[in-house]
């Protein structure tokens, strides 16, 4: 028929059409696929054609180029078949997949079945293995450690007024936004309160500028970070800039936040890591932070304002430094790993 002449592919109904497609063992950059087939002409199958699209493109023409029937031609291996890396799969992304069976002819053409039904699935978040790769990259650029004494959180005056009036003076955890790595398992899932801890090199104190509001809550470091808390590595990213961000999570031991992180994030030794440490010297807790990355610290429990102080800052409100829902630079060789972005 005309289709055969146009594409170098002939259709032959005798080849079984895949049905009851199952997707399993989904990771951030791979999955396993299997299906059922009628036994009729099964022994003639030499290849599988697999068409994979991001969900928003599922209505696109499968025959995008002449003589290119689909995005993957795979030899007919036993099912389930592992699909990995052929399209640089992205984590946490919805895809559609459809399958044909095919028989390669002596002249190089293929006889193919009809397309199967279209199946939808979503790839997974980064695993601990992937996050450990990010962690190792972040350690390379963390730089020397500087002393700190407080954690701080900048907001508008209205935020603190609202906390006092509606939440009994206690700042409440909220769901983390989608800033940072696309595959981060904490985005849209972990509940916590964002704090900063970076200091100015020349003063040893928090900077006076902030992108998040002119009012700053400061709390002594030991009130949030101590031997009764666990520390986790959450993410490493940049936003098309020269400086990089590291997200750390501080969770009171045994808390819901601690249980969440224990399953998903690499845990750090609070006394010995490249980003944020606390240890005792002469009966006093001493704290240090990495100089060459901007640390974003998420504390997973409520924090009462009475444990610290709120005051207006004297510096500027630099909105360009905001990381709210910031998109990670997928081309940066410093903070990307070799899986989907």
């Amino acid at each position: 028929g005309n289709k055969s002449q146009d594409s170098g592919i002939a259709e032959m109904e005798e080849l079984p059409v895949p049905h009851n497609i199952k997707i399993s063992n989904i990771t951030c950059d791979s999955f396993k696929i299997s299906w059922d087939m009628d036994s009729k002409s099964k022994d003639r199958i030499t290849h599988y054609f697999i068409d994979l699209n991001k969900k928003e493109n599922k209505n696109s023409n499968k025959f995008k180029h002449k003589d290119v029937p689909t995005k993957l031609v795979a030899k007919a291996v036993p099912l389930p078949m592992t699909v990995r890396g052929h399209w640089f799969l992205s984590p946490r992304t919805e895809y559609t997949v459809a399958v044909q069976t095919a028989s390669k002819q002596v002249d190089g053409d293929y006889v193919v079945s009809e397309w199967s039904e279209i199946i939808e699935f979503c790839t997974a978040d980064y695993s601990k293995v992937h996050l450990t790769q990010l962690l190792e990259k972040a350690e390379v650029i963390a730089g020397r450690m500087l002393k700190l004494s407080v954690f701080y959180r900048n907001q508008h005056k209205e935020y603190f007024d609202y906390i006092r009036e509606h939440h009994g003076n206690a700042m409440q955890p909220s769901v983390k936004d989608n800033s940072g790595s696309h595959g981060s398992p904490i985005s849209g899932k972990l509940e916590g309160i964002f704090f900063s801890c970076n200091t100015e090199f020349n003063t040893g104190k928090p900077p006076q500028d902030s992108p998040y509001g002119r009012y700053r809550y400061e709390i002594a470091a030991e009130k949030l970070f101590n031997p009764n808390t666990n520390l986790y590595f959450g993410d490493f990213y940049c936003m098309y800039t020269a400086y990089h961000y590291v997200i750390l999570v501080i969770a009171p031991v045994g808390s819901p936040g601690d249980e969440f992180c224990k399953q998903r994030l690499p845990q750090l030794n609070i006394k010995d890591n490249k980003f944020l440490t606390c240890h005792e010297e002469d009966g006093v807790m001493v704290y240090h932070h990495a100089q060459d990355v901007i640390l974003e610290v998420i504390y997973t429990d409520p924090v009462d304002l009475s444990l610290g102080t709120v005051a207006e800052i004297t510096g500027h409100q630099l909105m360009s430094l905001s990381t709210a829902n910031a998109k990670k630079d997928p081309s940066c060789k410093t903070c990307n790993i070799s899986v989907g972005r």
Side-chain angles (χ1 to χ4, degrees), residues 64-328:
K64 296 176 180 62
H65 304 287
K66 192 174 182 180
D67 298 327
V68 182
T70 185
K71 292 183 179 176
L72 174 66
V73 179
K75 286 189 176 179
V77 297
L79 300 177
M81 179 177 73
T82 299
V83 178
R84 177 181 289 110
H86 295 90
W87 304 275
F88 302 101
L89 285 166
S90 295
R92 202 185 276 209
T93 303
E94 292 184 325
Y95 288 93
T96 63
V97 65
V99 189
Q100 286 177 311
T101 58
S103 176
K104 191 169 185 177
Q105 308 299 291
V106 291
D107 61 2
D109 275 356
Y110 289 93
V111 174
V112 297
S113 72
E114 293 180 4
W115 284 102
S116 70
E117 74 271 33
I118 295 174
I119 299 297
E120 299 180 359
F121 71 99
C122 186
T123 46
D125 297 332
Y126 283 159
S127 67
K128 273 190 182 180
V129 171
H130 297 115
L131 285 170
T132 299
Q133 293 174 22
L134 268 184
L135 165 62
E136 290 168 354
K137 279 181 159 278
E139 288 175 337
V140 171
I141 70 158
R144 71 186 181 110
M145 304 290 276
L146 302 177
K147 273 193 175 183
L148 71 112
S149 59
V150 299
F151 290 100
Y152 55 96
R153 173 173 171 80
N154 286 77
Q155 284 285 348
H156 298 286
K157 181 176 183 295
E158 293 75 17
Y159 168 83
F160 294 111
D161 290 343
Y162 186 87
I163 293 300
R164 295 184 184 99
E165 185 175 347
H166 297 281
H167 289 294
N169 215 42
M171 294 184 288
Q172 300 297 315
S174 58
V175 177
K176 184 197 170 295
D177 67 10
N178 288 313
S179 61
S181 299
H182 190 54
S184 171
I186 62 177
S187 293
K189 295 180 182 179
L190 177 67
E191 293 189 358
I193 305 169
F194 261 108
F195 284 90
S196 299
C197 65
N198 291 78
T199 58
E200 291 183 323
F201 179 77
N202 54 342
T203 66
K205 295 181 178 180
Q208 280 301 308
D209 300 323
S210 166
Y212 299 113
R214 294 194 58 79
Y215 282 78
R216 173 173 293 168
Y217 175 73
E218 286 191 8
I219 182 170
E222 61 264 24
K223 297 282 181 67
L224 299 186
F225 187 35
N226 54 61
N228 296 317
T229 56
N230 283 327
L231 181 67
Y232 297 91
F233 173 82
D235 200 3
F236 177 46
Y237 70 100
C238 72
M239 304 177 298
Y240 303 89
T241 57
Y243 40 87
H244 280 80
Y245 295 83
V246 169
I247 298 180
L248 303 175
V249 183
I250 297 175
V253 173
S255 66
D258 190 35
E259 294 304 313
F260 177 95
C261 294
K262 198 170 289 182
Q263 306 298 321
R264 297 167 177 84
L265 304 181
Q267 186 171 346
L268 303 176
N269 182 337
I270 65 171
K271 296 180 181 178
D272 182 19
N273 67 79
K274 298 287 188 182
F275 310 108
L276 181 66
T277 61
C278 73
H279 63 277
E280 192 173 322
E281 288 183 12
D282 300 324
V284 178
M285 298 304 294
V286 178
Y287 294 85
H288 290 85
H289 71 87
Q291 173 185 351
D292 294 336
V293 292
I294 299 175
L295 296 180
E296 299 182 302
V297 178
I298 301 176
Y299 187 77
T300 62
D301 273 12
V303 176
D304 198 291
L305 291 178
S306 65
L307 295 174
T309 58
V310 176
E312 188 172 3
I313 62 173
T314 58
H316 301 288
Q317 190 172 330
L318 302 175
M319 295 308 296
S320 62
L321 293 177
S322 173
T323 61
N325 288 307
K327 299 304 178 189
K328 180 174 182 174

Side-chain angles (χ1 to χ4, degrees), residues 28-77:
C28 68
D29 64 346
S30 69
F31 61 92
K32 285 188 177 181
I33 185 169
S34 63
W35 55 83
D36 297 331
M37 289 182 288
D38 296 333
S39 58
K40 180 177 63 173
S41 299
K42 198 172 179 180
D43 57 344
R44 293 181 53 233
I45 298 171
T46 62
H47 291 78
Y48 305 136
F49 291 174
I50 299 177
D51 188 71
L52 185 86
N53 290 285
K54 287 189 177 180
K55 190 174 177 182
E56 60 267 27
N57 297 328
K58 67 180 178 182
N59 294 321
S60 61
N61 178 15
K62 289 184 174 62
F63 294 89
K64 296 176 180 62
H65 304 287
K66 192 174 182 180
D67 298 327
V68 182
T70 185
K71 292 183 179 176
L72 174 66
V73 179
K75 286 189 176 179
V77 297

